[in-house]
Amino acid sequence: MSLLIRGGTVVTADMEERADVFCDEGKIVAVGPDLEAPITAEVIDAGGQYVMPGGIDPHTHMQLPFMGTVASEDFFTGTAAAMAGGTTQIIDFVIPDPEQPLMAAYKDWRSWAEKAAADYSFHVAITWWDESVHQDMETLVMEEGVNSFKHFMAYKGAIMADDEILYNSFTRALELGAIPTVHAENGEMVIQLQQKLMSEGITGPKGHPLSRPPQAEGEAANRAIRLAEVIGTPLYVVHVSCRQALEEIIRARLEGHRVYGEVLAGHLLVDESVYDSQDFEYAAAHVMSPPFRAKEHQAALWKGLQSGSLQTTATDHCCFKADQKAMGKDDFTQIPNGTGGVEDRLAVLWHHGVNTGRLTRSEFVAATSTNAAKIFNIYPRKGSIHVGADADLVVWDPKATRTISAKTHHQNVDFNIFEGMTVEGTNSHTVSQGKITFANGDLRAERGAGRYIKRPRFV
């Protein structure tokens, strides 16, 4: 089935023009004014709306086994919710247990993802090191289309990568033409502070941000950046949440190092006051790492996004329901870390970014789609509106409004960190592989329709 999107204004990361978009067999085959289409083509009237590349969320955790439970969102429900909000591809994470072969973990995640409704790729975490990891990294890059490797600098005693692992893995990634990424928090500092707070009787969710201060993130970001500098590899820092980490990225970029920064929609819009609530369920629902920060950090992060010091936006979508969060009722260190957002990222960033003048429409496209496609080497297949690109598109109504709520969202979780927020500007249609998967509130996600997208190595 072919599709014609007629009468809209095409917005990409570098231009804006009045044009129709014609799609056939899952690809964009023509972009221009007054296009003709076969009588059998499906037509979307995009008059008064913008046509943009579908969103790419480069940081999600669907179906993640974590902290004694499994995330409530699986690859079908999560990608369906993503398309309900205009996101047409996710990049999720394979996270091997310590001493688990990388390829075994990768095969597990690939099997879980077969139910995905939208396209997906994987970063693979390096959680331990020996010669088999060294070899499996090559197999993943050369045969499986993985070009990024994740390193958790936190979660000591579980999946934390120490400096030896970082050095070995960063070096190997550079040899293979892959990019290392880091979750930057000083794991030793975090665990020492957790123990101190618990001994002082601070056992509720308030202890979570106190145990993970901005300094822990800033130190780890600096350490990872300097290691990458010595090795000579680019580096991607995930979920930058505070001024200290942002300043390390800015300094490195000014020195000529290829360092990229990612910011979560939640860290731009939610502040640490959520942990002050006496309602355990409410406060625990916001427990994620790094935690939400003081408003001063939000202001810095917006400036980082506006200036280009932060290039991508994501969600770290990792959902746990209230009964799962209750595992840490008497010990905040046992609250499963994670919040949602994959459905709402585009809308909240448009409302608080474009509508406020912080971002232009093209900057919005860059931050929500194109930059991720470029950094992870799938541009222009993704993140663009060019002839030959995948027909992953969002038709955006800048005047439409909706109020975000867990009662109406499609995410498989009983809480929404943006609860009650009314946004102006939302998708009327989402198109994945040339098919309409969301139309004016009607979600048409198809189980298993998503494809695994290989990402070529950097040469």
Side-chain angles (χ1 to χ4, degrees), residues 136-180:
D136 281 352
M137 288 178 71
E138 180 174 352
T139 303
L140 287 163
V141 172
M142 300 301 187
E143 299 179 18
E144 300 298 329
V146 172
N147 68 8
S148 53
F149 292 95
K150 172 75 173 287
H151 307 81
F152 292 91
M153 300 175 75
Y155 306 113
K156 184 180 178 181
I159 56 176
M160 187 179 93
D162 61 19
D163 287 358
E164 180 181 2
I165 293 174
L166 293 176
Y167 186 89
N168 286 325
S169 180
F170 283 19
T171 300
R172 184 60 166 154
L174 178 63
E175 292 171 354
L176 294 171
I179 184 170

Side-chain angles (χ1 to χ4, degrees), residues 424-445:
E424 182 178 5
T426 190
N427 55 308
S428 65
H429 295 76
T430 303
V431 176
S432 174
Q433 302 175 40
K435 297 179 181 178
I436 298 173
T437 56
F438 180 84
N440 296 310
D442 176 22
L443 181 58
R444 307 175 188 175

Side-chain angles (χ1 to χ4, degrees), residues 61-74 112 318-321 324 327 336:
H61 296 284
M62 307 301 178
Q63 209 167 322
L64 174 68
F66 189 54
M67 296 181 71
T69 187
V70 178
S72 60
E73 196 89 85
D74 68 23
W112 299 340
C318 188
C319 296
F320 299 98
K321 294 184 177 181
Q324 296 173 289
M327 293 166 58

Side-chain angles (χ1 to χ4, degrees), residues 54-58 60 78-90 118 315 341-346 368 393-394 427 430 432 437:
I56 299 171
D57 191 334
T60 66
T79 53
M83 290 195 293
T87 288
T88 53
Q89 182 177 348
I90 62 169
T315 59
V342 74
E343 183 172 354
D344 301 312
R345 177 179 63 119
L346 268 62
T368 59
L393 302 160
V394 60
N427 55 308
T430 303
S432 174
T437 56

